[in-house]
Amino acid sequence: MSKVADIFETMEYGPAPESAERANSWLDDHGRAFGHYLGGAFTDPDAGESFETANPATGVAMARVRQGSPEDVDEAVRAARAAQPRWWALGPHGRARYLYALARRIQKHARLFAVLESMDNGKPIRESRDLDIPLVARHFYHHAGWAQLMAGELPDYEPVGVVGQIIPWNFPMLMLAWKVAPALATGNTVVLKPAEFTPLTALLFAEISREAELPAGVFNVVTGDGRTGAALVAHPSVDKIAFTGSTEVGRIIRSETAGTGKRVSLELGGKSPFVVFDDADLDSVVEGVVDAIWFNQGQVCCAGSRILAQEGIAVALERKLRARMETLRMGDPLDKAVDMGAIVAPVQLERIRSLVEKGRGEGAEVWQPTWGVPREGWFYPPTLCTNCAPSGTLAQVEIFGPVVVMMTFRTPAEAVALANDTRYGLAASIWTESVNLALDVAPKVKAGTVWVNCTNFFDAASGFGGYRESGFGREGGREGLWEYVRPTWEGTAPQAPELSAPVPEDVPPPGSAAGAPAGAGGGDTPAAGGRSVDRTAKLYIGGKQTRSDGDYSMAVRGVGGRVAGEVGWGNRKDVRNAVEAARKAQAGWAARTAHNRAQILYYLAENLDARRKEMAARLASMSGDGKGAAAEVEAAVRRLFTYGAWADKWDGRVHSTPFRNVTLAMNEPIGVMGAVCPDELPLLGFVSCLAPLVAMGNAVVAIPSRVGPLAATDFYQVMDTSDVPGGVVNIVTGVHDEIVPTLAAHDDVDGIWYFGSAVGSTDVERASTGNMKRTWVSYGRSRNWVDAHQGEGEEFLREATQVKNIWVPYGE
Ligand code: NAI
Ligand code: MG
């Protein structure tokens, strides 16, 4: 027997296991075999193929679940479809009551949820009990509130319909809550596909939803692996896919859903920087690192897996970290005194091992504490890697395990450059005692969440989601609701009549023998306004008129087939030049004050107004409709005023998160944006795309209307006189089939709007997968550009921005 003195000597904790009894008896009650949960009931667990889910801490199987077939998915989607109209008709308060009831029941069964989660996933009970499950309940409470408020806060929006949700295994219940709560609150019904390694809490939740008398079919679970997920993605009657998981699968989903009209939100991987300035409180930093990378064994999409330390403190920090790592306790996840549990599955363990070995092979120094990991189960020790090149495997690849790399920097600018030196952009954490420095750096880091002097804080009131290849869409907060609704008018909008693409006629370069103007009747045809047609066909790139790369022009035919003018016949090279010019201009444009951008938009309006006659004549020369042309110019002037007005009013928010902190939700520009403008109303359509993007600080490469491109090319004159900095707006004319794919596939374009045919929309969505750029396409749906409801406003502003949440704690 050990004496008290011995215990003091080693400071060993005795084991303090949480009881697994209730979880085991729940599993036993179900015969340790589960069917799917469809239409309000569990299906037969023995009706088809099944597989086992194991406890990662022991490797022992806990229960058997079904491998969902396409038929199972179909049945689930049908149940959800059938239930959706009544669920929506229930109204805000009706739905709010159910969400509230779910939240209450989650709290009531919190202990069972936490234990089952830790058993199925391997995470320490302290985490599932104190973090995962309380946050799950919080999400349902918060969204019960959104259900209640929907009619007032989201007027003129309706649910998208049936939502397929595919979630990973790292936070099984929390990811369920993040997806299910907002979907149900806004009147959608759900088919959920939990991860194959951790299906059990979703099945428990299904049972509890029945206890809460949630109407049958509103929430359905189909278990299975990636094949089941793929069947859900492919199902024609699913209106939206919400996915969290690997970037690889996210990319497959993006391209599989291209052109189907399915809405997609993707929350993908990350390689989040953890930036430590030399004035930071190092003891807090060490605890921060523990939470950033050893929380949930590092199997966290936003794990702070790259410590960037300012040179002066790097050595001290490394020393302190090693000392702290020696004291971390790893073991039975149900032990309340354990800091780190097990890795979810052998395949993940192997992945971690092989990536670390690869890093070692590249010259990295790998350090692990002296204590050994448990022999049973799937464990990997906390690991600190130094001497890694910023371009090396360990610094670039998401390891998804308890492995952190440490690199150094000298200046804040260098810190920002290193922080942004990945394909990802999910989260970042910044440590400094200077709030000025933190708030200067935060907007420069490309990440959807920035934690100042803290890390891995989450709350239902704050949106979470990525920039760049970390995906798009937000979960949580007001900003997360938009993923699950659409404007009511959209549901009944007709398809736009498909315009046959004008056949381009090349016009040889001036000066060549065949260079005579192609205008009908020969010679310069005076435009209707009396001004001679400008025959020098140019693109507008970097604030300058430039000849197209091939030096070719295209005739634009107007009324009666008469040539109304010519535009440059741009090619891929021109698109690339335009993107480069936009990239150069974007940061400077975004850094200007909103007031300044507003002034420039008003100035554009003023200068367009001064040329209204000329512009209207030009439009009329293409459309033959003089009255319509005058009205269009007038509408374009108004639209510019609208976004001049909005430029300094599309404010962010301060979210009410329940910590001693402020959570600043800032609307940031997306970056370099492509805009393929609608064919109809060539001036108004062009201005309607350009103005919101520019107002929000993006730089734009615009591809104007196919039928009326002269409206846009004339507009450069307005820009030249309105102080729009070169490169903020670039215009490339040409054959859409030739240039749009280049723009949509370009890796330095951050997002693209496409107003055109269904086929074109498909191509744009598919081409966007390379860098997972954000897309907003119309699928050939007609939009009333003149109408203030459809043609301008918040929908455009949302699509022109991305929300960054910056968490700033206060107090001592
Ligand atoms: P995964 O992306 O394959 O799995 C996530 C979910 O997608 C699971 O429910 C899975 O069954 C489903 N799925 C797989 N293939 C699918 C397909 N073709 N269509 C539809 N659904 C499909 O991730 P996995 O294999 O579990 O982990 C591999 C790596 O992905 C990890 O090492 C980690 O780097 C990353 N990952 C990132 C996560 C995040 O939260 N960002 C979560 C899980 C994994
Ligand atoms: Mg499991």
Side-chain angles (χ1 to χ4, degrees):
M1 231 186 103
S2 62
K3 284 193 265 161
V4 173
D6 294 339
I7 295 173
F8 268 108
E9 190 63 31
T10 59
M11 280 306 273
E12 271 298 337
Y13 300 80
E18 177 68 51
S19 166
E21 199 185 314
R22 277 204 58 205
N24 277 322
S25 65
W26 181 76
L27 291 169
D28 290 339
D29 288 348
H30 286 268
R32 295 199 175 245
F34 294 84
H36 307 300
Y37 184 74
L38 308 181
F42 282 102
T43 64
D44 180 359
D46 300 314
E49 198 187 325
S50 64
F51 62 93
E52 280 171 334
T53 178
N55 179 340
T58 59
V60 174
M62 294 169 67
R64 197 159 51 78
V65 298
R66 290 283 316 282
Q67 167 64 26
S69 64
E71 292 71 36
D72 296 330
V73 168
D74 183 56
E75 205 181 315
V77 172
R78 279 170 200 275
R81 175 63 65 201
Q84 199 272 329
R86 243 173 304 142
W87 179 243
W88 173 231
L90 204 55
H93 182 61
R95 285 193 304 280
R97 291 179 77 106
Y98 280 111
L99 277 128
Y100 177 75
L102 289 169
R104 297 283 297 176
R105 278 186 164 70
I106 289 160
Q107 282 190 313
K108 189 176 140 201
H109 299 291
R111 195 49 64 95
L112 173 58
F113 269 114
V115 172
L116 191 64
E117 194 80 312
S118 280
M119 287 168 72
D120 203 8
N121 165 281
K123 65 173 66 198
I125 185 73
R126 256 193 8 221
E127 291 176 12
S128 50
R129 183 195 62 198
D130 299 345
L131 219 133
D132 296 51
I133 303 306
L135 257 177
V136 168
R138 162 97 181 115
H139 267 263
F140 278 94
Y141 277 121
H142 180 80
H143 285 92
W146 281 124
Q148 177 75 20
L149 299 178
M150 183 172 172
E153 292 297 301
L154 280 72
D156 308 318
Y157 281 84
E158 61 183 17
V160 295
V162 172
V163 185
Q165 305 187 319
I166 299 170
I167 56 174
W169 39 261
N170 53 345
F171 295 92
M173 245 330 259
L174 189 56
M175 291 302 103
L176 177 152
W178 282 20
K179 291 198 164 40
V180 172
L184 297 190
T186 47
N188 302 276
T189 53
V190 167
V191 177
L192 179 88
K193 208 295 283 172
E196 52 271 44
F197 301 133
T198 55
L200 295 177
T201 45
L203 294 166
L204 173 61
F205 176 78
E207 189 168 288
I208 273 163
S209 76
R210 193 164 54 174
E211 204 181 286
E213 292 170 28
L214 191 71
V218 169
F219 172 74
N220 308 274
V221 181
V222 183
T223 54
D225 63 13
R227 291 168 294 167
T228 311
L232 185 55
V233 170
H235 198 290
S237 183
V238 169
D239 300 301
K240 178 197 161 77
I241 294 289
F243 172 79
T244 298
S246 62
T247 296
E248 188 193 348
V249 173
R251 208 169 253 134
I252 295 173
I253 291 177
R254 166 72 290 181
S255 85
E256 290 292 310
T257 53
T260 60
K262 281 187 188 120
R263 293 263 298 265
V264 177
S265 51
L266 302 172
E267 202 266 90
L268 310 174
K271 192 75 188 174
S272 298
F274 186 103
V275 184
V276 187
F277 287 100
D278 56 14
D279 66 343
D281 169 10
L282 284 195
D283 293 320
S284 308
V285 167
V286 168
E287 290 316 305
V289 172
V290 172
D291 289 339
I293 190 67
W294 294 311
F295 165 58
N296 202 18
Q297 297 72 250
Q299 303 168 117
V300 183
C301 50
C302 52
S305 52
R306 290 187 298 144
I307 302 172
L308 309 179
Q310 201 157 13
E311 268 179 7
I313 46 92
V315 172
L317 179 57
E318 193 183 333
R319 196 179 54 236
K320 278 175 185 280
L321 276 173
R322 288 185 182 197
R324 182 68 178 90
M325 287 163 78
E326 289 287 8
T327 67
L328 287 170
R329 291 172 55 88
M330 173 173 275
D332 177 7
L334 288 187
D335 186 331
K336 289 173 231 168
V338 143
D339 299 310
M340 291 178 68
I343 301 296
V344 75
V347 56
Q348 288 300 120
L349 187 60
E350 198 36 54
R351 186 184 143 90
I352 298 166
R353 280 192 184 131
S354 72
L355 283 169
V356 169
E357 283 324 302
K358 191 159 177 224
R360 209 195 294 266
E362 291 170 9
E365 241 170 76
V366 177
W367 191 85
Q368 291 170 338
T370 52
W371 47 262
V373 305
R375 284 169 188 282
E376 210 186 35
W378 309 314
F379 290 88
Y380 194 86
T383 303
L384 173 65
C385 303
T386 49
N387 199 28
C388 311
S391 59
T393 302
L394 294 176
Q396 290 293 329
V397 177
E398 180 180 47
I399 298 171
F400 229 63
V403 181
V404 68
V405 299
M406 185 160 153
M407 296 180 284
T408 59
F409 67 87
R410 268 167 298 193
T411 62
E414 220 176 279
V416 169
L418 265 178
N420 289 334
D421 182 27
T422 75
R423 303 175 295 141
Y424 296 114
L426 195 53
S429 155
I430 298 171
W431 296 76
T432 166
E433 289 300 287
S434 161
V435 73
N436 293 7
L437 177 61
L439 292 180
D440 181 47
V441 169
K444 294 176 183 159
V445 176
K446 299 205 186 313
T449 299
V450 178
W451 292 291
V452 174
N453 293 330
C454 60
T455 195
N456 280 342
F457 277 14
F458 311 98
D459 183 56
S462 165
F464 183 86
Y467 280 29
R468 307 204 281 192
E469 290 187 35
S470 291
F472 38 77
R474 293 289 178 269
E475 300 191 281
R478 178 184 291 261
E479 57 260 40
L481 299 176
W482 303 112
E483 304 300 328
Y484 291 101
V485 296
R486 62 174 183 189
T488 309
W489 67 263
E490 230 184 68
T492 52
Q495 285 296 107
E498 174 91 53
L499 294 164
S500 54
V503 182
E505 307 158 71
D506 63 330
V507 183
S512 71
D524 264 5
T525 318
R531 192 176 57 86
S532 176
V533 173
D534 183 357
R535 294 241 163 243
T536 358
K538 298 270 176 70
L539 312 177
Y540 188 65
I541 296 177
K544 290 191 200 69
Q545 293 189 69
T546 36
R547 288 193 180 286
S548 63
D549 172 63
D551 206 6
Y552 274 95
S553 311
M554 291 161 37
V556 178
R557 295 210 170 257
V559 202
R562 243 184 37 180
V563 171
E566 292 160 16
V567 293
W569 190 332
N571 63 16
R572 290 150 177 242
K573 177 108 197 315
D574 294 309
V575 170
R576 288 196 285 266
N577 291 342
V579 171
E580 201 182 315
R583 175 57 66 198
K584 273 198 195 122
Q586 198 268 324
W589 179 240
R592 294 203 180 196
T593 63
H595 173 71
N596 180 249
R597 289 198 298 271
Q599 278 184 312
I600 289 177
L601 281 153
Y602 287 129
Y603 203 14
L604 276 169
E606 193 185 318
N607 285 322
L608 177 61
D609 200 44
R611 287 166 180 266
R612 67 164 59 219
K613 277 219 178 84
E614 203 181 307
M615 276 289 185
R618 181 64 115 181
L619 291 174
S621 80
M622 294 182 287
S623 68
D625 172 8
K627 234 168 115 190
E632 186 178 344
V633 177
E634 167 64 23
V637 171
R638 282 169 186 257
R639 191 128 299 161
L640 287 166
F641 257 77
T642 295
Y643 290 108
W646 269 121
D648 63 351
K649 293 174 192 66
W650 185 240
D651 292 336
R653 288 176 174 270
V654 181
H655 286 312
S656 303
T657 49
F659 306 100
R660 284 161 61 78
N661 75 293
V662 285
T663 305
L664 310 170
M666 314 234 294
N667 292 325
E668 293 194 343
I670 298 171
V672 171
M673 295 292 293
V676 184
C677 306
D679 282 332
E680 68 273 23
L681 298 170
L683 177 65
L684 182 62
F686 172 75
V687 165
S688 300
C689 292
L690 194 77
L693 288 169
V694 164
M696 294 298 109
N698 300 282
V700 183
V701 176
I703 297 183
S705 156
R706 291 177 300 176
V707 292
L710 294 168
T713 51
D714 286 356
F715 197 80
Y716 77 79
Q717 295 169 344
V718 178
M719 285 190 284
D720 279 348
T721 51
S722 307
D723 301 339
V724 179
V728 170
V729 177
N730 306 276
I731 305 171
V732 181
T733 46
V735 178
H736 280 202
D737 289 349
E738 290 170 10
I739 52 179
V740 174
T742 306
L743 187 60
H746 199 300
D747 276 349
D748 207 22
V749 172
D750 300 301
I752 183 165
W753 293 3
Y754 179 88
F755 294 99
S757 69
V759 174
S761 300
T762 308
D763 293 344
V764 163
E765 287 187 332
R766 200 163 282 148
S768 72
T769 54
N771 68 343
M772 300 301 277
K773 62 175 65 66
R774 253 174 82 170
T775 57
W776 188 33
V777 304
S778 67
Y779 300 113
R781 194 185 300 118
S782 112
R783 178 184 284 267
N784 182 349
W785 291 98
V786 180
D787 177 34
H789 204 60
Q790 295 184 24
E792 66 182 28
E794 301 200 0
E795 191 187 4
F796 287 79
L797 294 163
R798 271 200 312 275
E799 295 291 348
T801 50
Q802 50 194 347
V803 182
K804 171 182 284 175
N805 277 284
I806 305 177
W807 297 65
V808 189
Y810 50 73
E812 288 169 41

mmCIF file of all heavy atoms in Angstrom, residues 34 47 108 151 188 211 246 295 325 330 396 432 488 516 519 545 559 578 612 674 744:
data_model
loop_
_atom_site.group_PDB
_atom_site.id
_atom_site.type_symbol
_atom_site.label_atom_id
_atom_site.label_comp_id
_atom_site.label_asym_id
_atom_site.label_seq_id
_atom_site.Cartn_x
_atom_site.Cartn_y
_atom_site.Cartn_z
ATOM 1 N N PHE A 34 -28.104 -1.247 -34.579
ATOM 2 C CA PHE A 34 -29.011 -0.154 -34.920
ATOM 3 C C PHE A 34 -29.327 -0.138 -36.396
ATOM 4 O O PHE A 34 -28.447 -0.363 -37.237
ATOM 5 C CB PHE A 34 -28.387 1.198 -34.561
ATOM 6 C CG PHE A 34 -28.191 1.392 -33.096
ATOM 7 C CD1 PHE A 34 -27.065 0.897 -32.453
ATOM 8 C CD2 PHE A 34 -29.139 2.075 -32.341
ATOM 9 C CE1 PHE A 34 -26.873 1.080 -31.096
ATOM 10 C CE2 PHE A 34 -28.961 2.262 -30.972
ATOM 11 C CZ PHE A 34 -27.824 1.764 -30.340
ATOM 12 N N ALA A 47 -31.476 -5.716 -41.691
ATOM 13 C CA ALA A 47 -32.060 -5.755 -43.036
ATOM 14 C C ALA A 47 -31.029 -5.696 -44.155
ATOM 15 O O ALA A 47 -31.377 -5.824 -45.317
ATOM 16 C CB ALA A 47 -33.072 -4.612 -43.195
ATOM 17 N N LYS A 108 -31.061 17.249 -20.300
ATOM 18 C CA LYS A 108 -31.495 16.202 -19.383
ATOM 19 C C LYS A 108 -30.638 14.942 -19.534
ATOM 20 O O LYS A 108 -30.302 14.280 -18.556
ATOM 21 C CB LYS A 108 -32.974 15.879 -19.677
ATOM 22 C CG LYS A 108 -33.619 14.963 -18.681
ATOM 23 C CD LYS A 108 -35.103 14.793 -18.998
ATOM 24 C CE LYS A 108 -35.500 13.354 -18.786
ATOM 25 N NZ LYS A 108 -36.722 12.990 -19.494
ATOM 26 N N ALA A 151 -39.642 35.113 -38.941
ATOM 27 C CA ALA A 151 -40.546 35.903 -39.782
ATOM 28 C C ALA A 151 -40.152 37.376 -39.776
ATOM 29 O O ALA A 151 -40.164 38.041 -40.813
ATOM 30 C CB ALA A 151 -41.985 35.732 -39.305
ATOM 31 N N ASN A 188 -36.437 23.787 -42.712
ATOM 32 C CA ASN A 188 -36.002 22.676 -43.564
ATOM 33 C C ASN A 188 -36.183 21.355 -42.835
ATOM 34 O O ASN A 188 -36.287 21.320 -41.603
ATOM 35 C CB ASN A 188 -34.515 22.810 -43.896
ATOM 36 C CG ASN A 188 -34.184 24.112 -44.581
ATOM 37 O OD1 ASN A 188 -34.324 24.248 -45.788
ATOM 38 N ND2 ASN A 188 -33.771 25.108 -43.783
ATOM 39 N N GLU A 211 -38.676 11.195 -28.512
ATOM 40 C CA GLU A 211 -39.181 11.491 -27.169
ATOM 41 C C GLU A 211 -39.768 12.903 -27.132
ATOM 42 O O GLU A 211 -40.758 13.165 -26.461
ATOM 43 C CB GLU A 211 -37.992 11.394 -26.219
ATOM 44 C CG GLU A 211 -38.278 11.101 -24.785
ATOM 45 C CD GLU A 211 -36.941 11.072 -24.016
ATOM 46 O OE1 GLU A 211 -36.191 10.084 -24.182
ATOM 47 O OE2 GLU A 211 -36.659 12.046 -23.301
ATOM 48 N N SER A 246 -12.947 16.476 -44.931
ATOM 49 C CA SER A 246 -11.689 16.747 -45.613
ATOM 50 C C SER A 246 -11.888 17.612 -46.852
ATOM 51 O O SER A 246 -12.943 17.571 -47.492
ATOM 52 C CB SER A 246 -11.042 15.426 -46.016
ATOM 53 O OG SER A 246 -11.879 14.726 -46.908
ATOM 54 N N PHE A 295 -6.069 19.595 -27.508
ATOM 55 C CA PHE A 295 -7.504 19.445 -27.327
ATOM 56 C C PHE A 295 -8.025 18.458 -28.382
ATOM 57 O O PHE A 295 -7.694 18.585 -29.569
ATOM 58 C CB PHE A 295 -8.129 20.837 -27.501
ATOM 59 C CG PHE A 295 -9.607 20.883 -27.691
ATOM 60 C CD1 PHE A 295 -10.461 20.349 -26.740
ATOM 61 C CD2 PHE A 295 -10.158 21.507 -28.812
ATOM 62 C CE1 PHE A 295 -11.835 20.428 -26.915
ATOM 63 C CE2 PHE A 295 -11.528 21.587 -28.992
ATOM 64 C CZ PHE A 295 -12.361 21.043 -28.032
ATOM 65 N N MET A 325 4.434 19.610 -21.771
ATOM 66 C CA MET A 325 4.085 18.351 -22.435
ATOM 67 C C MET A 325 4.392 17.153 -21.534
ATOM 68 O O MET A 325 3.678 16.146 -21.576
ATOM 69 C CB MET A 325 4.835 18.227 -23.769
ATOM 70 C CG MET A 325 4.287 19.168 -24.837
ATOM 71 S SD MET A 325 5.438 19.394 -26.214
ATOM 72 C CE MET A 325 5.183 17.879 -27.133
ATOM 73 N N MET A 330 -2.314 11.266 -20.464
ATOM 74 C CA MET A 330 -2.991 10.585 -21.561
ATOM 75 C C MET A 330 -3.492 9.242 -21.059
ATOM 76 O O MET A 330 -2.792 8.558 -20.320
ATOM 77 C CB MET A 330 -1.996 10.381 -22.704
ATOM 78 C CG MET A 330 -2.527 9.534 -23.838
ATOM 79 S SD MET A 330 -1.366 9.501 -25.227
ATOM 80 C CE MET A 330 -1.850 10.981 -26.070
ATOM 81 N N GLN A 396 2.668 22.378 -44.001
ATOM 82 C CA GLN A 396 1.653 22.616 -45.027
ATOM 83 C C GLN A 396 0.465 21.661 -44.963
ATOM 84 O O GLN A 396 -0.661 22.050 -45.270
ATOM 85 C CB GLN A 396 2.290 22.524 -46.427
ATOM 86 C CG GLN A 396 3.227 23.675 -46.764
ATOM 87 C CD GLN A 396 2.508 25.013 -46.891
ATOM 88 O OE1 GLN A 396 1.353 25.057 -47.281
ATOM 89 N NE2 GLN A 396 3.184 26.100 -46.539
ATOM 90 N N THR A 432 -0.546 38.565 -27.963
ATOM 91 C CA THR A 432 0.259 39.750 -27.661
ATOM 92 C C THR A 432 -0.469 40.543 -26.584
ATOM 93 O O THR A 432 -1.697 40.505 -26.513
ATOM 94 C CB THR A 432 0.462 40.644 -28.901
ATOM 95 O OG1 THR A 432 0.953 41.917 -28.476
ATOM 96 C CG2 THR A 432 -0.815 40.855 -29.681
ATOM 97 N N THR A 488 -37.686 34.358 -51.273
ATOM 98 C CA THR A 488 -38.952 33.736 -51.656
ATOM 99 C C THR A 488 -39.203 33.855 -53.163
ATOM 100 O O THR A 488 -39.697 32.923 -53.787
ATOM 101 C CB THR A 488 -40.111 34.378 -50.868
ATOM 102 O OG1 THR A 488 -39.754 34.350 -49.492
ATOM 103 C CG2 THR A 488 -41.410 33.636 -51.066
ATOM 104 N N ALA A 516 -10.781 47.485 -93.190
ATOM 105 C CA ALA A 516 -11.863 48.445 -93.371
ATOM 106 C C ALA A 516 -12.968 48.185 -92.371
ATOM 107 O O ALA A 516 -13.248 47.039 -92.048
ATOM 108 C CB ALA A 516 -12.408 48.345 -94.786
ATOM 109 N N GLY A 519 -18.746 48.133 -90.557
ATOM 110 C CA GLY A 519 -20.063 48.721 -90.345
ATOM 111 C C GLY A 519 -20.929 48.627 -91.591
ATOM 112 O O GLY A 519 -20.449 48.745 -92.713
ATOM 113 N N GLN A 545 -6.812 51.246 -71.130
ATOM 114 C CA GLN A 545 -7.337 50.532 -72.287
ATOM 115 C C GLN A 545 -6.192 49.750 -72.899
ATOM 116 O O GLN A 545 -5.143 50.316 -73.149
ATOM 117 C CB GLN A 545 -7.822 51.522 -73.323
ATOM 118 C CG GLN A 545 -9.025 52.314 -72.894
ATOM 119 C CD GLN A 545 -9.528 53.081 -74.093
ATOM 120 O OE1 GLN A 545 -10.041 52.484 -75.039
ATOM 121 N NE2 GLN A 545 -9.360 54.379 -74.068
ATOM 122 N N VAL A 559 -29.470 46.853 -83.748
ATOM 123 C CA VAL A 559 -30.753 46.821 -84.446
ATOM 124 C C VAL A 559 -30.570 46.495 -85.924
ATOM 125 O O VAL A 559 -29.690 47.057 -86.568
ATOM 126 C CB VAL A 559 -31.424 48.217 -84.360
ATOM 127 C CG1 VAL A 559 -32.915 48.092 -84.563
ATOM 128 C CG2 VAL A 559 -31.053 48.915 -83.087
ATOM 129 N N ALA A 578 -5.822 40.461 -66.496
ATOM 130 C CA ALA A 578 -6.810 41.216 -65.728
ATOM 131 C C ALA A 578 -6.811 40.767 -64.265
ATOM 132 O O ALA A 578 -6.899 41.582 -63.347
ATOM 133 C CB ALA A 578 -8.197 41.038 -66.345
ATOM 134 N N ARG A 612 -25.562 60.714 -69.657
ATOM 135 C CA ARG A 612 -26.727 59.838 -69.794
ATOM 136 C C ARG A 612 -27.240 59.759 -71.228
ATOM 137 O O ARG A 612 -27.619 58.695 -71.697
ATOM 138 C CB ARG A 612 -27.833 60.233 -68.817
ATOM 139 C CG ARG A 612 -28.485 61.579 -69.071
ATOM 140 C CD ARG A 612 -29.796 61.695 -68.314
ATOM 141 N NE ARG A 612 -29.626 61.533 -66.858
ATOM 142 C CZ ARG A 612 -30.481 60.885 -66.076
ATOM 143 N NH1 ARG A 612 -31.556 60.341 -66.595
ATOM 144 N NH2 ARG A 612 -30.279 60.818 -64.792
ATOM 145 N N GLY A 674 -14.512 37.501 -59.897
ATOM 146 C CA GLY A 674 -14.956 37.495 -61.279
ATOM 147 C C GLY A 674 -16.441 37.826 -61.301
ATOM 148 O O GLY A 674 -17.176 37.434 -60.399
ATOM 149 N N ALA A 744 -13.129 31.264 -64.214
ATOM 150 C CA ALA A 744 -13.704 30.408 -63.166
ATOM 151 C C ALA A 744 -12.668 29.454 -62.586
ATOM 152 O O ALA A 744 -12.746 29.059 -61.428
ATOM 153 C CB ALA A 744 -14.890 29.621 -63.723
#
